[in-house]
């Protein structure tokens, strides 16, 4: 069995664009929870705050023409992957591209575009529904678009297991390298559920915090006796996984070794 290490990290989070910015914010104990701005969350919604990604311009990370074809979670994944590649200083041979795969998990995928297109259907009819609807919302589109953009021709799919989707993606990518089927894998997750239907749905099942609208930064308290639900967030996280000898041979910076997964 091959050893597997982490050599690159890319993050797009409510706490910052990039791993460094996110880490500094977390170490400082900063909460990203704030009133929702992605739609008009009025008094009909019991929970009117979330952790939104701020200051993000997808055009800085991908082709402008491609942006209209995808939804928010895919733009996050593209940006996080680009950052992970740069961080890993990763340059692949053509042969390696044949086996390098992309596992990027998602729980819901392009939820906001499904909502938007449903409204278009209702108001304007089926002829006005975008041809990009289906390829923009399905959960594996983050992995698919990343595979296309970075010319990675190995396995490409999404693990969808709710809050464990990203962990499953990384674990399965680890196994792919461990079993000798690839030297490099791109793995992680992306999500963008902060939409009217997303917030309404999670409110309906009493999952979201509603108590601290006057100070959302104190709403996320999962281990507190007075907790009342989670705070919705969005973003993407991607790691470059490499076979240890492959990383060592190219002088890669090694963050950690993956020792197991279950």
């Amino acid at each position: 069995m091959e050893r597997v290490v982490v050599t690159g990290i890319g993050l797009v989070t409510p706490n910052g664009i990039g791993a460094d910015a996110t880490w500094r914010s977390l170490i400082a104990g900063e909460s990203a929870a704030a009133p929702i701005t992605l739609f008009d969350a009025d008094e009909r919604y019991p929970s009117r705050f979330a952790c939104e990604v701020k200051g993000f311009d997808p055009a800085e990370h991908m082709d402008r023409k491609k942006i209209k074809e995808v939804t928010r979670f895919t733009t996050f994944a593209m940006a996080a992957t680009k950052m992970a590649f740069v961080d890993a200083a990763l340059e692949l041979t053509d042969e390696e591209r044949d086996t390098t795969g992309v596992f990027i998990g998602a729980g819901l995928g392009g939820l906001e575009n499904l909502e938007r297109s449903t409204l278009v259907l209702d108001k304007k009819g089926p002829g006005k529904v975008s041809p990009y609807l289906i390829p923009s919302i399905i959960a594996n589109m983050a992995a698919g678009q990343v595979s296309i953009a970075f010319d990675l021709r190995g396995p490409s799919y999404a693990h969808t297991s709710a809050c464990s989707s990203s962990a499953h993606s990384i674990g399965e990518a680890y196994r792919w390298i461990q079993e000798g089927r690839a030297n490099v894998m791109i793995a992680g997750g992306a999500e963008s559920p902060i939409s009217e239907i997303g917030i309404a749905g999670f409110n309906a099942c009493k999952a979201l915090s509603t108590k601290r609208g006057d100070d959302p930064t104190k709403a996320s308290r999962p281990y507190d006796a007075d907790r009342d639900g989670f705070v919705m967030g969005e973003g993407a996280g991607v790691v470059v996984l490499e076979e240890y000898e492959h990383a060592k041979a190219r002088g890669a910076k090694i963050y950690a070794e993956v020792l197991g997964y279950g």
Side-chain angles (χ1 to χ4, degrees), residues 40-175:
D40 182 15
D42 57 30
E43 64 279 354
R44 294 175 300 164
Y45 298 90
S47 183
R48 295 186 288 278
F49 51 86
C51 293
E52 299 177 346
V53 171
K54 306 166 188 70
F56 177 73
D57 181 1
E60 295 179 2
H61 308 280
M62 59 188 293
D63 190 300
R64 287 184 179 275
K65 294 180 181 178
K66 179 65 69 173
I67 295 172
K68 69 179 182 179
E69 300 177 18
V70 302
T71 47
R72 192 169 168 86
F73 86 110
T74 297
T75 65
F76 291 158
M78 293 280 276
T81 301
K82 182 179 179 180
M83 294 175 195
F85 259 85
V86 171
D87 185 46
L90 186 62
E91 294 183 8
L92 298 171
T93 66
D94 195 57
E95 183 179 4
E96 286 174 329
R97 291 182 185 277
D98 283 337
T99 57
T100 298
V102 181
F103 293 169
I104 297 180
L108 291 168
L111 187 63
E112 80 279 8
N113 203 28
L114 179 59
E115 174 189 299
R116 186 163 50 243
S117 297
T118 300
L119 294 174
V120 169
L121 173 64
D122 182 57
K123 294 178 180 179
K124 300 181 180 180
K128 294 299 183 179
V129 173
S130 170
Y132 294 123
L133 170 61
I134 299 304
S136 73
I137 67 172
I138 52 181
N140 73 304
M141 277 300 98
Q145 292 289 358
V146 164
S147 296
I148 293 168
F150 292 87
D151 192 21
L152 305 176
R153 302 185 289 270
S156 173
Y157 47 88
H159 299 79
T160 299
S161 49
C163 299
S164 298
S165 300
S166 301
H168 276 139
S169 296
I170 294 171
E172 292 301 321
Y174 153 75
R175 283 183 173 164

Side-chain angles (χ1 to χ4, degrees), residues 22-33:
T22 298
W23 185 247
R24 283 195 300 269
S25 178
L26 291 174
I27 290 299
E30 297 171 354
S31 171

